[in-house]
Amino acid sequence: MYYETLVALHGVLDRYPWASHVTCDAHGSELYGLAMRRAEAYGWYSTGGWTYEYRGWGEARIVQDPGRWADALAGGDWTQDGKVRELAWMSAEIPADVREPRLPLLPVARILSDAVNRIGDVRFTGLHAVLPLRELVGDASDAFRAMREWFALADPSASVPVSVTVGAGPAMRGREAAVCDGVRERLGDIAQAEVAVGPLDLAGLADVAGEHGYDKGRERGVLRFACRVPEWSVDAAVWLVEAVGDASRAAGCAEQVVVTASQASAS
């Protein structure tokens, strides 16, 4: 049995004239090839899946190499109309018997970003991810400590508003306060997260009519945060998404969770 992780980048793409022959559609086309070549260059993608046995749990289990995943699909929308589009998405399949502290969100987001920036100028406006928490992920405390140290080196005078949503369905009921506390703990004093009152600015996310579970971010009953981070980048968006996903897992939301992070208008 496999669980699917999906990452999608949103933004505005202005294609280079010399890359006009590179196409993309709902089935990926050349985007898939670009992303896979980049993943292989980084050593992140394993076409053979999981490559070694780990016996530390008392029995031999096939373990995922760090940052790698199994099969993948990709697609995107490169419409040239100046509007925010779901520029690139990729799904990664992870076997049910694998347990790692983190899902491969950053590797997938990074290769998608590299791919679309290779064929045009990109104004990155948002990211959404479908996270199969369940038994796949564990305590990532060390990773979040390292992330805080990384973003602490950003310009201390900068502060960027970001809208974040998390949709976990009925599993979230009664756990909202625990999720909020968990998000603040994972971000530390490097970023701020407050529960949003009223509608959030979600202009940084394309209206993709439910594609890949995204419109859960706009539905009523979804937990919403108004955040401020030291910078706006793909890495910062992944950091927020991972923090919310991990806080949801720790609070007992062992379900498929849809998390979004999008650039908000400065207030």
Side-chain angles (χ1 to χ4, degrees):
M1 181 176 182
Y2 288 78
Y3 291 116
E4 183 180 74
T5 297
L6 183 139
V7 179
L9 302 185
H10 298 242
V12 180
L13 171 66
D14 184 9
R15 297 185 60 172
Y16 299 135
W18 59 86
S20 60
H21 64 285
V22 182
T23 62
C24 184
D25 55 27
H27 304 291
S29 193
E30 279 93 340
L31 171 66
Y32 180 84
L34 279 172
M36 286 299 95
R37 285 194 291 273
R38 200 60 180 152
E40 289 167 1
Y42 283 126
W44 282 336
Y45 178 69
S46 175
T47 55
W50 283 256
T51 57
Y52 67 95
E53 290 187 350
Y54 179 72
R55 298 179 179 273
W57 290 300
E59 61 180 10
R61 298 180 67 185
I62 301 301
V63 178
Q64 181 187 19
D65 280 347
R68 295 192 179 190
W69 58 93
D71 201 5
L73 297 172
D77 181 355
W78 294 352
T79 302
Q80 297 292 283
D81 58 3
K83 296 180 181 179
V84 172
R85 298 284 180 174
E86 186 186 49
L87 297 179
W89 62 266
M90 177 170 283
S91 63
E93 291 188 347
I94 302 174
D97 64 349
V98 169
R99 182 177 179 85
E100 286 288 315
R102 299 168 66 189
L103 295 167
L105 302 186
L106 186 57
V108 174
R110 176 51 53 201
I111 65 172
L112 290 178
S113 177
D114 284 0
V116 293
N117 276 280
R118 195 65 178 167
I119 56 95
D121 284 324
V122 178
R123 178 166 64 86
F124 170 63
T125 61
L127 179 148
H128 87 266
V130 180
L131 312 181
L133 300 180
R134 296 185 175 89
E135 68 267 29
L136 292 178
V137 292
D139 184 0
S141 299
D142 290 342
F144 284 104
R145 189 177 304 110
M147 291 180 209
R148 288 193 295 271
E149 292 174 356
W150 176 261
F151 287 105
L153 293 174
D155 182 353
S157 66
S159 182
V160 182
V162 180
S163 300
V164 177
T165 73
V166 53
M172 184 66 75
R173 288 189 194 133
R175 296 184 170 94
E176 292 87 351
V179 172
C180 294
D181 290 343
V183 171
R184 295 188 184 104
E185 177 184 351
R186 284 154 180 78
L187 297 179
D189 59 0
I190 309 303
Q192 302 171 12
E194 301 295 336
V195 176
V197 178
L200 272 180
D201 180 356
L202 298 176
L205 297 172
D207 184 1
V208 290
E211 187 78 1
H212 313 131
Y214 158 62
D215 68 343
K216 292 180 183 295
R218 298 181 186 271
E219 292 172 1
R220 299 178 65 181
V222 172
L223 189 55
R224 300 159 183 254
F225 296 95
C227 300
R228 297 196 77 88
V229 293
E231 66 181 47
W232 175 244
S233 62
V234 171
D235 286 2
V238 171
W239 179 38
L240 289 170
V241 168
E242 283 204 78
V244 172
D246 193 64
S248 300
R249 174 204 59 79
C253 296
E255 299 288 343
Q256 178 174 281
V257 174
V258 179
V259 185
T260 77
S262 57
Q263 191 174 25
S265 302
S267 57

